[in-house]
Amino acid sequence: MMRARLLPMCMVFFYLDSSLKVHSFTVQRRAARQALDYVAKIENLGNCSLGTGESLDLIYDHTVWNSYALAAVRLANFISKIITTNNNSLASLSDEVLFALVRNNVHLKSFIFGSGIPFEPHPSLRYPLFCPYAYRNENKTKVLTKDLAVEYNYTDPSTEYYQVLRYKDFSNISIVTDKVYFRSGDALLPAVDIAQPVADIDDGHWTKPYFDCGGGNIWMVTYSSPIFGLEQDQKTVIFRGVATIDIELTSIDINQCDLSKIPKERATFDVFRGTHLCQPSTECEFTPGAGFRRGAYICKCAKGYFFPNM
């Protein structure tokens, strides 16, 4: 999502081939090392335009962040409810309310770096494009909020977090009907049936990791959850935008040591496991705390290679 904030500067992506199953272990490891070399290069990159041509596809386990992604799912479903309750209109939600909603996601003490709501163009919007976005400043002392659409066209075909869901088939999305008793004075009015689409976490999309170059200068991934309206038949959904959260990767350690056979020791970016440069007579020992960078290990003598006691 921070990608939008930086234009017309640059955004750099790295990927590892998603068809890893057909590659040999040597090729996989070489690709992972290439990605690590790229991570190191970007850290000291003065001119982002030097890295925009890279295309390495990285497979990672995003399920460890599902609890954070639920913030985007809840936000998307809330806005879908407002839209469907108000005849597919967003007019009842002021800029102040929408800005407060995204700030609320970022104020959580978590890995969430930013949160946004890029809306699909619609007559009920006050602007041709509108994207309330909140994010932490560089030293994380404040939360800043603005409309990204002033600086950036998020409907551009290259915007992964938006375009993937914009053209996804949601014909099987869950549509629920609630009974709501509104109030008039001291009495409740008769129940009103309100049909509304409800997105689940699997209906959203995780982007590939990318570097927020020139702004926060951090690695991140973005999760987006779809926002819907309803056609008059109350059965067909209308794509109305997405709600997003950005996960900061800067504090996520990269472990290059050999993959553990103990499942509980597995981590998000195990694709980098086994890419250490320790010699066969040594063993790789992970040294946590370095963050999203290579070289967080030491090479210790393996059993049988210690000098005997003299």
Side-chain angles (χ1 to χ4, degrees), residues 46-189:
N47 182 356
C48 288
S49 63
L50 297 176
T52 53
E54 300 286 350
S55 58
L56 304 167
D57 192 8
L58 177 66
I59 294 176
Y60 65 99
D61 178 16
H62 53 69
T63 59
V64 296
W65 297 317
N66 278 357
S67 60
Y68 304 130
L70 286 175
V73 176
R74 295 188 186 101
L75 178 55
N77 285 334
F78 169 76
I79 296 174
S80 294
K81 286 178 173 62
I82 297 297
I83 290 174
T84 54
T85 304
N86 289 274
N87 210 18
N88 279 333
S89 174
L90 273 166
S92 64
L93 289 177
S94 66
D95 292 9
E96 290 79 8
V97 169
L98 292 167
F99 280 17
L101 288 170
V102 291
R103 289 204 315 274
N104 188 58
N105 281 345
V106 180
H107 279 144
L108 298 173
K109 292 183 178 180
S110 67
F111 287 117
I112 295 178
F113 179 82
S115 178
I117 316 172
F119 286 105
E120 182 75 354
H122 189 269
S124 66
L125 286 179
R126 286 176 284 279
Y127 319 101
L129 290 177
F130 185 40
C131 179
Y133 183 64
Y135 60 99
R136 302 180 190 276
N137 64 347
E138 192 166 352
N139 57 13
K140 301 179 183 178
T141 58
K142 293 181 181 179
V143 173
L144 310 178
T145 314
K146 63 181 177 181
D147 178 8
L148 274 182
V150 173
E151 306 170 347
Y152 166 68
N153 180 9
Y154 54 81
T155 63
D156 185 274
S158 64
T159 309
E160 180 186 357
Y161 67 82
Y162 192 82
Q163 293 296 328
V164 169
L165 295 185
R166 191 183 199 187
Y167 294 106
K168 185 176 180 178
D169 180 10
F170 288 112
S171 57
N172 293 323
I173 198 74
S174 176
I175 298 178
V176 302
T177 300
D178 295 339
K179 285 188 177 294
V180 181
Y181 296 85
F182 291 104
R183 178 174 174 171
S184 177
D186 294 330
L188 295 178
L189 297 174

